[in-house]
Amino acid sequence: MAGDRGGTGGSEGMAVPRAAKTQRRTRIQEEKEERILDAALEVFSSSGFRGATIDQIAEAAGMSKPNLLYYFRTKEAIYRTLLESMLFTWLEPLKAIKAEGDPESEIRSYIRRKLEMSRDFPRESRLFANEMLQGAPHIEDDLTGPLKALVDEKAEVIRSWIKAGKIARCDPHHLIFAIWATTQHYADFDVQVCAVLGEKRSGEGRFEDAARFLEQLFFEGLRTKQA
Amino acid sequence: MAGDRGGTGGSEGMAVPRAAKTQRRTRIQEEKEERILDAALEVFSSSGFRGATIDQIAEAAGMSKPNLLYYFRTKEAIYRTLLESMLFTWLEPLKAIKAEGDPESEIRSYIRRKLEMSRDFPRESRLFANEMLQGAPHIEDDLTGPLKALVDEKAEVIRSWIKAGKIARCDPHHLIFAIWATTQHYADFDVQVCAVLGEKRSGEGRFEDAARFLEQLFFEGLRTKQA
DNA sequence: GTATGTTTTTACCAACCGGTCAAATTATCA
DNA sequence: TGATAATTTGACCGGTTGGTAAAAACATAC
């Protein structure tokens, strides 16, 4: 508990090499820690916390288990580090919603951004999904705290747009859920999506198709225009 | 491989008590197997296959591990049984879509049914989600086989509705994905939904709100009617 | 070179895990 | 009642798991 930490400023037992008397953080430390976190993301995101093993992570990171444990003291420490940094970037798109912007294009680009995250960071999405499925034991506080606060804030923004008649009357919270669900689905259920679309349509182009569809869904709905 | 099976007609090593010479399936067998499957659903759905342990399941089922293994020979056997029976009921709502029906009300009741499943069988939904996150190692064949076939068939139905001008032009597959995503979200991400909605709105009434919102989303979209 | 600090490896441990086995217990029925 | 079959239990096994201890290997500064 005492003395100097690594510097990343995180929770207990995390990324604190045994000794750090001369320098705060060497090049090699950062590099190795990054490799570990990358490997851990791979393993945790597909097996969940309980299902993942340190050995798997160590092997994926190309080092021995004790060597890995030299950088992160416990399995939990790796997991928490991963979750924390993920949660932050994960909420960026939502934070980016501006009350002063044009409602329709704000929502449109929010959807687009979230979809891009599913395309570019599917492992992060699956890590989060796994944590949710397990009942969010590691991030309960974040959910009811900062996350809820942020969502409530943005829900209020949406509500103001509704009041101004800029978008249709609807429940803002459920709108946000729907955006989360539809976009993250392409990362979390990727196997299913690819299996169902078949070989021809499951290439990277599926994200274009998805974007087109979601844009239409959220703004036009399914009803035909002519009566 | 030889001889008589239990009767549930499943895959290898499943629900085959050591001896079955007089009767095919006793009352006590069915009852115990049900208790095991219920407990297993609880554990698997929140920890995934790898993360779950036989001991956990046995304890949740109120019996010793060897006793549990008397009814199901392996952990995998329990899991497969669970997945199989789940997949079947899980696709019922999709199967129920009738090409001859009114497009809008067919889709509407499909959404409603799926949402009801999330409300009434959240564990089954999470089990499925967990399997997907792990890359669907146990049901790959089902995905590319029967499931794809069914989805393709219903996608064709939707396409015919579009051609007939009954619903707006859109990609049927992605429409189905969107329905899956939005409805299952309320089961899979239940913790998050409840945390974000807060204590007041996270009661059972949230499914009513969700139903109302989704109905609007899918048919009206967010655009206001007056220009 | 040596001294000092950092990183990696080898060997190891106790707890846990999936699963087996044989014996003990309980139900069934003549 | 005893005989027979179904169920349950306790002891156990080899492999895995999260994690430790100590020493070896490596880097660096002097």
mmCIF file with all atom_site columns, all heavy atoms in Angstrom, chain B residues 19 21 28-29 32 70-71, chain D residues 5-10 17:
data_model
loop_
_atom_site.group_PDB
_atom_site.id
_atom_site.type_symbol
_atom_site.label_atom_id
_atom_site.label_alt_id
_atom_site.label_comp_id
_atom_site.label_asym_id
_atom_site.label_entity_id
_atom_site.label_seq_id
_atom_site.pdbx_PDB_ins_code
_atom_site.Cartn_x
_atom_site.Cartn_y
_atom_site.Cartn_z
_atom_site.occupancy
_atom_site.B_iso_or_equiv
_atom_site.pdbx_formal_charge
_atom_site.auth_seq_id
_atom_site.auth_comp_id
_atom_site.auth_asym_id
_atom_site.auth_atom_id
_atom_site.pdbx_PDB_model_num
ATOM 1   N N     . ALA B 1 19 ? -27.751 -48.294 -15.027 1.00 0.00 ? 19 ALA B N     1
ATOM 2   C CA    . ALA B 1 19 ? -28.492 -49.504 -15.396 1.00 0.00 ? 19 ALA B CA    1
ATOM 3   C C     . ALA B 1 19 ? -29.946 -49.160 -15.670 1.00 0.00 ? 19 ALA B C     1
ATOM 4   O O     . ALA B 1 19 ? -30.517 -48.286 -15.048 1.00 0.00 ? 19 ALA B O     1
ATOM 5   C CB    . ALA B 1 19 ? -28.414 -50.529 -14.270 1.00 0.00 ? 19 ALA B CB    1
ATOM 6   N N     . LYS B 1 21 ? -32.648 -51.845 -16.585 1.00 0.00 ? 21 LYS B N     1
ATOM 7   C CA    . LYS B 1 21 ? -33.048 -53.173 -17.040 1.00 0.00 ? 21 LYS B CA    1
ATOM 8   C C     . LYS B 1 21 ? -34.544 -53.415 -16.957 1.00 0.00 ? 21 LYS B C     1
ATOM 9   O O     . LYS B 1 21 ? -35.135 -54.061 -17.812 1.00 0.00 ? 21 LYS B O     1
ATOM 10  C CB    . LYS B 1 21 ? -32.302 -54.245 -16.241 1.00 0.00 ? 21 LYS B CB    1
ATOM 11  C CG    . LYS B 1 21 ? -30.835 -54.328 -16.671 1.00 0.00 ? 21 LYS B CG    1
ATOM 12  C CD    . LYS B 1 21 ? -30.020 -55.225 -15.799 1.00 0.00 ? 21 LYS B CD    1
ATOM 13  C CE    . LYS B 1 21 ? -28.555 -55.212 -16.261 1.00 0.00 ? 21 LYS B CE    1
ATOM 14  N NZ    . LYS B 1 21 ? -27.640 -55.809 -15.295 1.00 0.00 ? 21 LYS B NZ    1
ATOM 15  N N     . ILE B 1 28 ? -38.238 -40.858 -10.597 1.00 0.00 ? 28 ILE B N     1
ATOM 16  C CA    . ILE B 1 28 ? -37.128 -40.217 -9.892  1.00 0.00 ? 28 ILE B CA    1
ATOM 17  C C     . ILE B 1 28 ? -36.050 -39.752 -10.853 1.00 0.00 ? 28 ILE B C     1
ATOM 18  O O     . ILE B 1 28 ? -35.435 -38.696 -10.664 1.00 0.00 ? 28 ILE B O     1
ATOM 19  C CB    . ILE B 1 28 ? -36.545 -41.179 -8.832  1.00 0.00 ? 28 ILE B CB    1
ATOM 20  C CG1   . ILE B 1 28 ? -35.595 -40.434 -7.902  1.00 0.00 ? 28 ILE B CG1   1
ATOM 21  C CG2   . ILE B 1 28 ? -35.847 -42.361 -9.471  1.00 0.00 ? 28 ILE B CG2   1
ATOM 22  C CD1   . ILE B 1 28 ? -35.278 -41.225 -6.649  1.00 0.00 ? 28 ILE B CD1   1
ATOM 23  N N     . GLN B 1 29 ? -35.854 -40.508 -11.913 1.00 0.00 ? 29 GLN B N     1
ATOM 24  C CA    . GLN B 1 29 ? -34.872 -40.091 -12.913 1.00 0.00 ? 29 GLN B CA    1
ATOM 25  C C     . GLN B 1 29 ? -35.260 -38.771 -13.547 1.00 0.00 ? 29 GLN B C     1
ATOM 26  O O     . GLN B 1 29 ? -34.464 -37.841 -13.611 1.00 0.00 ? 29 GLN B O     1
ATOM 27  C CB    . GLN B 1 29 ? -34.751 -41.157 -14.000 1.00 0.00 ? 29 GLN B CB    1
ATOM 28  C CG    . GLN B 1 29 ? -33.784 -42.273 -13.651 1.00 0.00 ? 29 GLN B CG    1
ATOM 29  C CD    . GLN B 1 29 ? -33.859 -43.414 -14.644 1.00 0.00 ? 29 GLN B CD    1
ATOM 30  O OE1   . GLN B 1 29 ? -34.115 -43.190 -15.829 1.00 0.00 ? 29 GLN B OE1   1
ATOM 31  N NE2   . GLN B 1 29 ? -33.657 -44.620 -14.161 1.00 0.00 ? 29 GLN B NE2   1
ATOM 32  N N     . LYS B 1 32 ? -34.867 -35.871 -11.081 1.00 0.00 ? 32 LYS B N     1
ATOM 33  C CA    . LYS B 1 32 ? -33.481 -35.499 -10.796 1.00 0.00 ? 32 LYS B CA    1
ATOM 34  C C     . LYS B 1 32 ? -32.825 -34.833 -12.012 1.00 0.00 ? 32 LYS B C     1
ATOM 35  O O     . LYS B 1 32 ? -32.130 -33.839 -11.897 1.00 0.00 ? 32 LYS B O     1
ATOM 36  C CB    . LYS B 1 32 ? -32.680 -36.742 -10.380 1.00 0.00 ? 32 LYS B CB    1
ATOM 37  C CG    . LYS B 1 32 ? -33.061 -37.288 -9.014  1.00 0.00 ? 32 LYS B CG    1
ATOM 38  C CD    . LYS B 1 32 ? -32.378 -36.529 -7.886  1.00 0.00 ? 32 LYS B CD    1
ATOM 39  C CE    . LYS B 1 32 ? -32.985 -36.810 -6.539  1.00 0.00 ? 32 LYS B CE    1
ATOM 40  N NZ    . LYS B 1 32 ? -32.283 -37.838 -5.755  1.00 0.00 ? 32 LYS B NZ    1
ATOM 41  N N     . TYR B 1 70 ? -23.950 -39.575 -12.115 1.00 0.00 ? 70 TYR B N     1
ATOM 42  C CA    . TYR B 1 70 ? -24.677 -40.820 -12.361 1.00 0.00 ? 70 TYR B CA    1
ATOM 43  C C     . TYR B 1 70 ? -25.766 -40.581 -13.415 1.00 0.00 ? 70 TYR B C     1
ATOM 44  O O     . TYR B 1 70 ? -26.102 -41.466 -14.185 1.00 0.00 ? 70 TYR B O     1
ATOM 45  C CB    . TYR B 1 70 ? -25.279 -41.306 -11.049 1.00 0.00 ? 70 TYR B CB    1
ATOM 46  C CG    . TYR B 1 70 ? -26.270 -42.428 -11.182 1.00 0.00 ? 70 TYR B CG    1
ATOM 47  C CD1   . TYR B 1 70 ? -25.858 -43.714 -11.462 1.00 0.00 ? 70 TYR B CD1   1
ATOM 48  C CD2   . TYR B 1 70 ? -27.631 -42.173 -11.012 1.00 0.00 ? 70 TYR B CD2   1
ATOM 49  C CE1   . TYR B 1 70 ? -26.777 -44.748 -11.567 1.00 0.00 ? 70 TYR B CE1   1
ATOM 50  C CE2   . TYR B 1 70 ? -28.551 -43.192 -11.110 1.00 0.00 ? 70 TYR B CE2   1
ATOM 51  C CZ    . TYR B 1 70 ? -28.129 -44.480 -11.395 1.00 0.00 ? 70 TYR B CZ    1
ATOM 52  O OH    . TYR B 1 70 ? -29.038 -45.490 -11.508 1.00 0.00 ? 70 TYR B OH    1
ATOM 53  N N     . TYR B 1 71 ? -26.267 -39.365 -13.441 1.00 0.00 ? 71 TYR B N     1
ATOM 54  C CA    . TYR B 1 71 ? -27.329 -39.039 -14.405 1.00 0.00 ? 71 TYR B CA    1
ATOM 55  C C     . TYR B 1 71 ? -26.786 -38.482 -15.714 1.00 0.00 ? 71 TYR B C     1
ATOM 56  O O     . TYR B 1 71 ? -27.302 -38.762 -16.782 1.00 0.00 ? 71 TYR B O     1
ATOM 57  C CB    . TYR B 1 71 ? -28.308 -38.055 -13.778 1.00 0.00 ? 71 TYR B CB    1
ATOM 58  C CG    . TYR B 1 71 ? -29.108 -38.668 -12.671 1.00 0.00 ? 71 TYR B CG    1
ATOM 59  C CD1   . TYR B 1 71 ? -28.792 -38.458 -11.333 1.00 0.00 ? 71 TYR B CD1   1
ATOM 60  C CD2   . TYR B 1 71 ? -30.186 -39.501 -12.959 1.00 0.00 ? 71 TYR B CD2   1
ATOM 61  C CE1   . TYR B 1 71 ? -29.510 -39.038 -10.319 1.00 0.00 ? 71 TYR B CE1   1
ATOM 62  C CE2   . TYR B 1 71 ? -30.919 -40.095 -11.955 1.00 0.00 ? 71 TYR B CE2   1
ATOM 63  C CZ    . TYR B 1 71 ? -30.573 -39.859 -10.629 1.00 0.00 ? 71 TYR B CZ    1
ATOM 64  O OH    . TYR B 1 71 ? -31.297 -40.452 -9.635  1.00 0.00 ? 71 TYR B OH    1
ATOM 65  P P     . DA  D 2 5  ? -31.259 -58.021 -11.367 1.00 0.00 ? 5  DA  D P     1
ATOM 66  O OP1   . DA  D 2 5  ? -31.526 -58.671 -12.648 1.00 0.00 ? 5  DA  D OP1   1
ATOM 67  O OP2   . DA  D 2 5  ? -29.941 -58.132 -10.727 1.00 0.00 ? 5  DA  D OP2   1
ATOM 68  O "O5'" . DA  D 2 5  ? -31.614 -56.477 -11.505 1.00 0.00 ? 5  DA  D "O5'" 1
ATOM 69  C "C5'" . DA  D 2 5  ? -32.978 -56.063 -11.535 1.00 0.00 ? 5  DA  D "C5'" 1
ATOM 70  C "C4'" . DA  D 2 5  ? -33.098 -54.654 -10.996 1.00 0.00 ? 5  DA  D "C4'" 1
ATOM 71  O "O4'" . DA  D 2 5  ? -32.789 -54.644 -9.583  1.00 0.00 ? 5  DA  D "O4'" 1
ATOM 72  C "C3'" . DA  D 2 5  ? -32.116 -53.662 -11.640 1.00 0.00 ? 5  DA  D "C3'" 1
ATOM 73  O "O3'" . DA  D 2 5  ? -32.843 -52.520 -12.068 1.00 0.00 ? 5  DA  D "O3'" 1
ATOM 74  C "C2'" . DA  D 2 5  ? -31.138 -53.321 -10.527 1.00 0.00 ? 5  DA  D "C2'" 1
ATOM 75  C "C1'" . DA  D 2 5  ? -32.023 -53.496 -9.301  1.00 0.00 ? 5  DA  D "C1'" 1
ATOM 76  N N9    . DA  D 2 5  ? -31.282 -53.733 -8.070  1.00 0.00 ? 5  DA  D N9    1
ATOM 77  C C8    . DA  D 2 5  ? -30.374 -54.716 -7.817  1.00 0.00 ? 5  DA  D C8    1
ATOM 78  N N7    . DA  D 2 5  ? -29.865 -54.671 -6.603  1.00 0.00 ? 5  DA  D N7    1
ATOM 79  C C5    . DA  D 2 5  ? -30.495 -53.589 -6.021  1.00 0.00 ? 5  DA  D C5    1
ATOM 80  C C6    . DA  D 2 5  ? -30.390 -53.002 -4.744  1.00 0.00 ? 5  DA  D C6    1
ATOM 81  N N6    . DA  D 2 5  ? -29.596 -53.461 -3.798  1.00 0.00 ? 5  DA  D N6    1
ATOM 82  N N1    . DA  D 2 5  ? -31.161 -51.926 -4.494  1.00 0.00 ? 5  DA  D N1    1
ATOM 83  C C2    . DA  D 2 5  ? -31.968 -51.461 -5.472  1.00 0.00 ? 5  DA  D C2    1
ATOM 84  N N3    . DA  D 2 5  ? -32.143 -51.918 -6.694  1.00 0.00 ? 5  DA  D N3    1
ATOM 85  C C4    . DA  D 2 5  ? -31.369 -52.994 -6.909  1.00 0.00 ? 5  DA  D C4    1
ATOM 86  P P     . DA  D 2 6  ? -32.151 -51.322 -12.781 1.00 0.00 ? 6  DA  D P     1
ATOM 87  O OP1   . DA  D 2 6  ? -33.000 -50.957 -13.916 1.00 0.00 ? 6  DA  D OP1   1
ATOM 88  O OP2   . DA  D 2 6  ? -30.736 -51.650 -12.960 1.00 0.00 ? 6  DA  D OP2   1
ATOM 89  O "O5'" . DA  D 2 6  ? -32.263 -50.163 -11.688 1.00 0.00 ? 6  DA  D "O5'" 1
ATOM 90  C "C5'" . DA  D 2 6  ? -33.554 -49.775 -11.210 1.00 0.00 ? 6  DA  D "C5'" 1
ATOM 91  C "C4'" . DA  D 2 6  ? -33.421 -48.669 -10.187 1.00 0.00 ? 6  DA  D "C4'" 1
ATOM 92  O "O4'" . DA  D 2 6  ? -32.711 -49.173 -9.022  1.00 0.00 ? 6  DA  D "O4'" 1
ATOM 93  C "C3'" . DA  D 2 6  ? -32.646 -47.440 -10.655 1.00 0.00 ? 6  DA  D "C3'" 1
ATOM 94  O "O3'" . DA  D 2 6  ? -33.338 -46.293 -10.185 1.00 0.00 ? 6  DA  D "O3'" 1
ATOM 95  C "C2'" . DA  D 2 6  ? -31.271 -47.588 -10.008 1.00 0.00 ? 6  DA  D "C2'" 1
ATOM 96  C "C1'" . DA  D 2 6  ? -31.602 -48.351 -8.727  1.00 0.00 ? 6  DA  D "C1'" 1
ATOM 97  N N9    . DA  D 2 6  ? -30.552 -49.250 -8.286  1.00 0.00 ? 6  DA  D N9    1
ATOM 98  C C8    . DA  D 2 6  ? -29.947 -50.243 -9.000  1.00 0.00 ? 6  DA  D C8    1
ATOM 99  N N7    . DA  D 2 6  ? -29.046 -50.918 -8.322  1.00 0.00 ? 6  DA  D N7    1
ATOM 100 C C5    . DA  D 2 6  ? -29.054 -50.321 -7.073  1.00 0.00 ? 6  DA  D C5    1
ATOM 101 C C6    . DA  D 2 6  ? -28.317 -50.562 -5.905  1.00 0.00 ? 6  DA  D C6    1
ATOM 102 N N6    . DA  D 2 6  ? -27.403 -51.518 -5.799  1.00 0.00 ? 6  DA  D N6    1
ATOM 103 N N1    . DA  D 2 6  ? -28.577 -49.778 -4.830  1.00 0.00 ? 6  DA  D N1    1
ATOM 104 C C2    . DA  D 2 6  ? -29.510 -48.816 -4.939  1.00 0.00 ? 6  DA  D C2    1
ATOM 105 N N3    . DA  D 2 6  ? -30.267 -48.497 -5.987  1.00 0.00 ? 6  DA  D N3    1
ATOM 106 C C4    . DA  D 2 6  ? -29.980 -49.292 -7.035  1.00 0.00 ? 6  DA  D C4    1
ATOM 107 P P     . DT  D 2 7  ? -32.823 -44.849 -10.587 1.00 0.00 ? 7  DT  D P     1
ATOM 108 O OP1   . DT  D 2 7  ? -33.979 -43.942 -10.611 1.00 0.00 ? 7  DT  D OP1   1
ATOM 109 O OP2   . DT  D 2 7  ? -31.910 -44.968 -11.743 1.00 0.00 ? 7  DT  D OP2   1
ATOM 110 O "O5'" . DT  D 2 7  ? -31.948 -44.492 -9.306  1.00 0.00 ? 7  DT  D "O5'" 1
ATOM 111 C "C5'" . DT  D 2 7  ? -32.597 -44.321 -8.050  1.00 0.00 ? 7  DT  D "C5'" 1
ATOM 112 C "C4'" . DT  D 2 7  ? -31.583 -44.095 -6.966  1.00 0.00 ? 7  DT  D "C4'" 1
ATOM 113 O "O4'" . DT  D 2 7  ? -30.643 -45.184 -6.933  1.00 0.00 ? 7  DT  D "O4'" 1
ATOM 114 C "C3'" . DT  D 2 7  ? -30.730 -42.827 -7.086  1.00 0.00 ? 7  DT  D "C3'" 1
ATOM 115 O "O3'" . DT  D 2 7  ? -31.166 -41.983 -6.039  1.00 0.00 ? 7  DT  D "O3'" 1
ATOM 116 C "C2'" . DT  D 2 7  ? -29.280 -43.321 -6.912  1.00 0.00 ? 7  DT  D "C2'" 1
ATOM 117 C "C1'" . DT  D 2 7  ? -29.479 -44.698 -6.308  1.00 0.00 ? 7  DT  D "C1'" 1
ATOM 118 N N1    . DT  D 2 7  ? -28.441 -45.721 -6.528  1.00 0.00 ? 7  DT  D N1    1
ATOM 119 C C2    . DT  D 2 7  ? -27.644 -46.111 -5.478  1.00 0.00 ? 7  DT  D C2    1
ATOM 120 O O2    . DT  D 2 7  ? -27.727 -45.634 -4.358  1.00 0.00 ? 7  DT  D O2    1
ATOM 121 N N3    . DT  D 2 7  ? -26.723 -47.096 -5.776  1.00 0.00 ? 7  DT  D N3    1
ATOM 122 C C4    . DT  D 2 7  ? -26.545 -47.721 -7.002  1.00 0.00 ? 7  DT  D C4    1
ATOM 123 O O4    . DT  D 2 7  ? -25.704 -48.600 -7.145  1.00 0.00 ? 7  DT  D O4    1
ATOM 124 C C5    . DT  D 2 7  ? -27.404 -47.269 -8.053  1.00 0.00 ? 7  DT  D C5    1
ATOM 125 C C7    . DT  D 2 7  ? -27.301 -47.891 -9.415  1.00 0.00 ? 7  DT  D C7    1
ATOM 126 C C6    . DT  D 2 7  ? -28.305 -46.302 -7.775  1.00 0.00 ? 7  DT  D C6    1
ATOM 127 P P     . DT  D 2 8  ? -30.619 -40.510 -5.911  1.00 0.00 ? 8  DT  D P     1
ATOM 128 O OP1   . DT  D 2 8  ? -31.632 -39.730 -5.185  1.00 0.00 ? 8  DT  D OP1   1
ATOM 129 O OP2   . DT  D 2 8  ? -30.126 -40.066 -7.228  1.00 0.00 ? 8  DT  D OP2   1
ATOM 130 O "O5'" . DT  D 2 8  ? -29.370 -40.718 -4.946  1.00 0.00 ? 8  DT  D "O5'" 1
ATOM 131 C "C5'" . DT  D 2 8  ? -29.597 -41.243 -3.646  1.00 0.00 ? 8  DT  D "C5'" 1
ATOM 132 C "C4'" . DT  D 2 8  ? -28.282 -41.486 -2.945  1.00 0.00 ? 8  DT  D "C4'" 1
ATOM 133 O "O4'" . DT  D 2 8  ? -27.592 -42.581 -3.585  1.00 0.00 ? 8  DT  D "O4'" 1
ATOM 134 C "C3'" . DT  D 2 8  ? -27.294 -40.318 -2.952  1.00 0.00 ? 8  DT  D "C3'" 1
ATOM 135 O "O3'" . DT  D 2 8  ? -27.204 -39.832 -1.623  1.00 0.00 ? 8  DT  D "O3'" 1
ATOM 136 C "C2'" . DT  D 2 8  ? -25.986 -40.917 -3.484  1.00 0.00 ? 8  DT  D "C2'" 1
ATOM 137 C "C1'" . DT  D 2 8  ? -26.217 -42.414 -3.334  1.00 0.00 ? 8  DT  D "C1'" 1
ATOM 138 N N1    . DT  D 2 8  ? -25.499 -43.278 -4.315  1.00 0.00 ? 8  DT  D N1    1
ATOM 139 C C2    . DT  D 2 8  ? -24.578 -44.182 -3.853  1.00 0.00 ? 8  DT  D C2    1
ATOM 140 O O2    . DT  D 2 8  ? -24.289 -44.325 -2.682  1.00 0.00 ? 8  DT  D O2    1
ATOM 141 N N3    . DT  D 2 8  ? -23.989 -44.952 -4.841  1.00 0.00 ? 8  DT  D N3    1
ATOM 142 C C4    . DT  D 2 8  ? -24.226 -44.888 -6.207  1.00 0.00 ? 8  DT  D C4    1
ATOM 143 O O4    . DT  D 2 8  ? -23.647 -45.628 -6.999  1.00 0.00 ? 8  DT  D O4    1
ATOM 144 C C5    . DT  D 2 8  ? -25.208 -43.907 -6.604  1.00 0.00 ? 8  DT  D C5    1
ATOM 145 C C7    . DT  D 2 8  ? -25.548 -43.752 -8.061  1.00 0.00 ? 8  DT  D C7    1
ATOM 146 C C6    . DT  D 2 8  ? -25.786 -43.155 -5.652  1.00 0.00 ? 8  DT  D C6    1
ATOM 147 P P     . DT  D 2 9  ? -26.269 -38.604 -1.294  1.00 0.00 ? 9  DT  D P     1
ATOM 148 O OP1   . DT  D 2 9  ? -26.835 -37.921 -0.133  1.00 0.00 ? 9  DT  D OP1   1
ATOM 149 O OP2   . DT  D 2 9  ? -25.990 -37.855 -2.537  1.00 0.00 ? 9  DT  D OP2   1
ATOM 150 O "O5'" . DT  D 2 9  ? -24.931 -39.332 -0.846  1.00 0.00 ? 9  DT  D "O5'" 1
ATOM 151 C "C5'" . DT  D 2 9  ? -24.997 -40.337 0.157   1.00 0.00 ? 9  DT  D "C5'" 1
ATOM 152 C "C4'" . DT  D 2 9  ? -23.635 -40.993 0.334   1.00 0.00 ? 9  DT  D "C4'" 1
ATOM 153 O "O4'" . DT  D 2 9  ? -23.353 -41.822 -0.815  1.00 0.00 ? 9  DT  D "O4'" 1
ATOM 154 C "C3'" . DT  D 2 9  ? -22.474 -40.008 0.450   1.00 0.00 ? 9  DT  D "C3'" 1
ATOM 155 O "O3'" . DT  D 2 9  ? -21.964 -40.088 1.773   1.00 0.00 ? 9  DT  D "O3'" 1
ATOM 156 C "C2'" . DT  D 2 9  ? -21.457 -40.480 -0.590  1.00 0.00 ? 9  DT  D "C2'" 1
ATOM 157 C "C1'" . DT  D 2 9  ? -21.956 -41.849 -1.007  1.00 0.00 ? 9  DT  D "C1'" 1
ATOM 158 N N1    . DT  D 2 9  ? -21.738 -42.186 -2.437  1.00 0.00 ? 9  DT  D N1    1
ATOM 159 C C2    . DT  D 2 9  ? -20.948 -43.256 -2.765  1.00 0.00 ? 9  DT  D C2    1
ATOM 160 O O2    . DT  D 2 9  ? -20.407 -43.956 -1.942  1.00 0.00 ? 9  DT  D O2    1
ATOM 161 N N3    . DT  D 2 9  ? -20.826 -43.496 -4.111  1.00 0.00 ? 9  DT  D N3    1
ATOM 162 C C4    . DT  D 2 9  ? -21.410 -42.763 -5.135  1.00 0.00 ? 9  DT  D C4    1
ATOM 163 O O4    . DT  D 2 9  ? -21.234 -43.056 -6.303  1.00 0.00 ? 9  DT  D O4    1
ATOM 164 C C5    . DT  D 2 9  ? -22.218 -41.648 -4.714  1.00 0.00 ? 9  DT  D C5    1
ATOM 165 C C7    . DT  D 2 9  ? -22.894 -40.789 -5.740  1.00 0.00 ? 9  DT  D C7    1
ATOM 166 C C6    . DT  D 2 9  ? -22.345 -41.411 -3.413  1.00 0.00 ? 9  DT  D C6    1
ATOM 167 P P     . DG  D 2 10 ? -20.897 -39.036 2.281   1.00 0.00 ? 10 DG  D P     1
ATOM 168 O OP1   . DG  D 2 10 ? -21.159 -38.821 3.717   1.00 0.00 ? 10 DG  D OP1   1
ATOM 169 O OP2   . DG  D 2 10 ? -20.855 -37.889 1.346   1.00 0.00 ? 10 DG  D OP2   1
ATOM 170 O "O5'" . DG  D 2 10 ? -19.535 -39.849 2.131   1.00 0.00 ? 10 DG  D "O5'" 1
ATOM 171 C "C5'" . DG  D 2 10 ? -19.459 -41.200 2.584   1.00 0.00 ? 10 DG  D "C5'" 1
ATOM 172 C "C4'" . DG  D 2 10 ? -18.080 -41.733 2.315   1.00 0.00 ? 10 DG  D "C4'" 1
ATOM 173 O "O4'" . DG  D 2 10 ? -17.991 -42.153 0.924   1.00 0.00 ? 10 DG  D "O4'" 1
ATOM 174 C "C3'" . DG  D 2 10 ? -16.943 -40.740 2.517   1.00 0.00 ? 10 DG  D "C3'" 1
ATOM 175 O "O3'" . DG  D 2 10 ? -15.831 -41.418 3.082   1.00 0.00 ? 10 DG  D "O3'" 1
ATOM 176 C "C2'" . DG  D 2 10 ? -16.660 -40.229 1.115   1.00 0.00 ? 10 DG  D "C2'" 1
ATOM 177 C "C1'" . DG  D 2 10 ? -16.959 -41.450 0.257   1.00 0.00 ? 10 DG  D "C1'" 1
ATOM 178 N N9    . DG  D 2 10 ? -17.423 -41.154 -1.079  1.00 0.00 ? 10 DG  D N9    1
ATOM 179 C C8    . DG  D 2 10 ? -18.179 -40.065 -1.472  1.00 0.00 ? 10 DG  D C8    1
ATOM 180 N N7    . DG  D 2 10 ? -18.455 -40.066 -2.747  1.00 0.00 ? 10 DG  D N7    1
ATOM 181 C C5    . DG  D 2 10 ? -17.850 -41.228 -3.228  1.00 0.00 ? 10 DG  D C5    1
ATOM 182 C C6    . DG  D 2 10 ? -17.810 -41.768 -4.535  1.00 0.00 ? 10 DG  D C6    1
ATOM 183 O O6    . DG  D 2 10 ? -18.321 -41.315 -5.566  1.00 0.00 ? 10 DG  D O6    1
ATOM 184 N N1    . DG  D 2 10 ? -17.097 -42.963 -4.581  1.00 0.00 ? 10 DG  D N1    1
ATOM 185 C C2    . DG  D 2 10 ? -16.487 -43.547 -3.499  1.00 0.00 ? 10 DG  D C2    1
ATOM 186 N N2    . DG  D 2 10 ? -15.836 -44.687 -3.729  1.00 0.00 ? 10 DG  D N2    1
ATOM 187 N N3    . DG  D 2 10 ? -16.514 -43.055 -2.272  1.00 0.00 ? 10 DG  D N3    1
ATOM 188 C C4    . DG  D 2 10 ? -17.213 -41.895 -2.211  1.00 0.00 ? 10 DG  D C4    1
ATOM 189 P P     . DT  D 2 17 ? -5.769  -25.271 -16.885 1.00 0.00 ? 17 DT  D P     1
ATOM 190 O OP1   . DT  D 2 17 ? -6.923  -24.865 -17.700 1.00 0.00 ? 17 DT  D OP1   1
ATOM 191 O OP2   . DT  D 2 17 ? -4.409  -25.166 -17.436 1.00 0.00 ? 17 DT  D OP2   1
ATOM 192 O "O5'" . DT  D 2 17 ? -5.798  -24.465 -15.522 1.00 0.00 ? 17 DT  D "O5'" 1
ATOM 193 C "C5'" . DT  D 2 17 ? -6.953  -24.555 -14.675 1.00 0.00 ? 17 DT  D "C5'" 1
ATOM 194 C "C4'" . DT  D 2 17 ? -6.679  -23.834 -13.374 1.00 0.00 ? 17 DT  D "C4'" 1
ATOM 195 O "O4'" . DT  D 2 17 ? -5.914  -24.706 -12.498 1.00 0.00 ? 17 DT  D "O4'" 1
ATOM 196 C "C3'" . DT  D 2 17 ? -5.824  -22.590 -13.550 1.00 0.00 ? 17 DT  D "C3'" 1
ATOM 197 O "O3'" . DT  D 2 17 ? -6.588  -21.452 -13.312 1.00 0.00 ? 17 DT  D "O3'" 1
ATOM 198 C "C2'" . DT  D 2 17 ? -4.694  -22.731 -12.530 1.00 0.00 ? 17 DT  D "C2'" 1
ATOM 199 C "C1'" . DT  D 2 17 ? -5.081  -23.901 -11.695 1.00 0.00 ? 17 DT  D "C1'" 1
ATOM 200 N N1    . DT  D 2 17 ? -3.898  -24.735 -11.317 1.00 0.00 ? 17 DT  D N1    1
ATOM 201 C C2    . DT  D 2 17 ? -3.585  -24.877 -9.997  1.00 0.00 ? 17 DT  D C2    1
ATOM 202 O O2    . DT  D 2 17 ? -4.234  -24.358 -9.098  1.00 0.00 ? 17 DT  D O2    1
ATOM 203 N N3    . DT  D 2 17 ? -2.474  -25.646 -9.752  1.00 0.00 ? 17 DT  D N3    1
ATOM 204 C C4    . DT  D 2 17 ? -1.668  -26.269 -10.683 1.00 0.00 ? 17 DT  D C4    1
ATOM 205 O O4    . DT  D 2 17 ? -0.700  -26.928 -10.347 1.00 0.00 ? 17 DT  D O4    1
ATOM 206 C C5    . DT  D 2 17 ? -2.056  -26.062 -12.055 1.00 0.00 ? 17 DT  D C5    1
ATOM 207 C C7    . DT  D 2 17 ? -1.257  -26.687 -13.161 1.00 0.00 ? 17 DT  D C7    1
ATOM 208 C C6    . DT  D 2 17 ? -3.136  -25.322 -12.307 1.00 0.00 ? 17 DT  D C6    1
#
